[in-house]
Amino acid sequence: MGRTESRCHGFSLIELMVTISVLVILLALGVPSFSQLLSRNRASALTNDLQFALKFARGEAIKRGAPVSLCPRAAGNPDTPDPAACSNAAADWRNGWVVINRSGCIDLADCERLLDTPVDASALTVGYGQPLVNFNPSGRMVTGIGGTFAICDPGASDSLRRVIIAPSGRSRLEKGGDCP
C-alpha cells in the first residue's frame, strides 16, 4: 500500500504572533481616536438637549404670554430648581436644567415646571456666566442682552460647542475651537 501523507493545516506559531502584533498596533492607533469621538458626541448631545430646552422655553413664553425661565437644577435636591443657583452668576449647569413658568409665583420652588432635563455632565464643562435665562411673553430675553453657553469635554480638545442666545431670544449653535 502506498503511503498517504497526512498534513495538518493551520497557522504556525510565528504566523499567529505576527497577526496578534498587527492587531495590537491597530488597536493602539484606533482606541484614542475612538475615545475622542465619544467625547465629541457627549458634548454634542448635551448641546442639542440645551438648545431644545431654550427653544422650548422661548416657545412656551410666547404661547402662554407669560415669563418663562431656564434655570439650573439643584445639585443636592434635583427635584426643584435651585433658588441659590438661579441668583448666582457661578451657577452649575452640569446637573441639568429646568424650564419654569414664572407667572404668578414668588418662590422658584413654587413655580410650575414645564420641562425637567437631568443630565450627568460631570465630565463636561458647561459655562454660561449668568444664573438663568429669562424669556418675556414676546419670547425676547428679559435683560435685552444675549448670552453664550460654552460646552466642552476636556477629553477632546476640539469638542467646544457654543449655544449663542441673541437678545431676540433665538439661539444658534457654533461648533469648533479648542476647550478653554
Side-chain angles (χ1 to χ4, degrees), residues 9-31:
H9 297 286
F11 297 108
S12 70
L13 182 60
I14 293 177
E15 290 172 328
L16 187 61
M17 294 300 289
V18 168
T19 304
I20 289 174
S21 299
V22 169
L23 283 174
V24 166
I25 290 170
L26 289 176
L27 282 174
L29 294 173
V31 168

Side-chain angles (χ1 to χ4, degrees), residues 100-118:
I100 52 177
N101 178 5
R102 297 197 57 167
S103 178
C105 65
I106 297 170
D107 190 331
L108 287 175
D110 298 332
C111 293
E112 175 189 10
R113 289 191 311 176
L114 305 173
L115 178 70
D116 189 359
T117 308

Side-chain angles (χ1 to χ4, degrees), residues 24-46:
V24 166
I25 290 170
L26 289 176
L27 282 174
L29 294 173
V31 168
S33 63
F34 185 70
S35 66
Q36 285 190 354
L37 174 71
L38 289 176
S39 295
R40 282 192 298 273
N41 283 347
R42 242 189 330 262
S44 182
L46 185 67

Side-chain angles (χ1 to χ4, degrees), residues 42 46 49 73 93-96 117-124 126:
R42 242 189 330 262
L46 185 67
D49 288 346
R73 290 179 101 228
W93 292 85
R94 292 179 300 166
N95 296 316
T117 308
V119 294
D120 179 18
S122 55
L124 301 173
V126 182

Side-chain angles (χ1 to χ4, degrees), residues 70-72 82-94 126-133 143 147-150:
L70 181 77
C71 192
D82 188 352
C86 288
S87 60
N88 179 4
D92 188 3
W93 292 85
R94 292 179 300 166
V126 182
Y128 183 57
Q130 296 180 29
L132 54 100
V133 181
T143 60
T148 301
F149 278 93

Side-chain angles (χ1 to χ4, degrees), residues 133-153:
V133 181
N134 283 316
F135 294 100
N136 65 21
S138 65
R140 299 182 63 81
M141 297 286 288
V142 169
T143 60
I145 303 169
T148 301
F149 278 93
I151 299 168
C152 186
D153 190 333

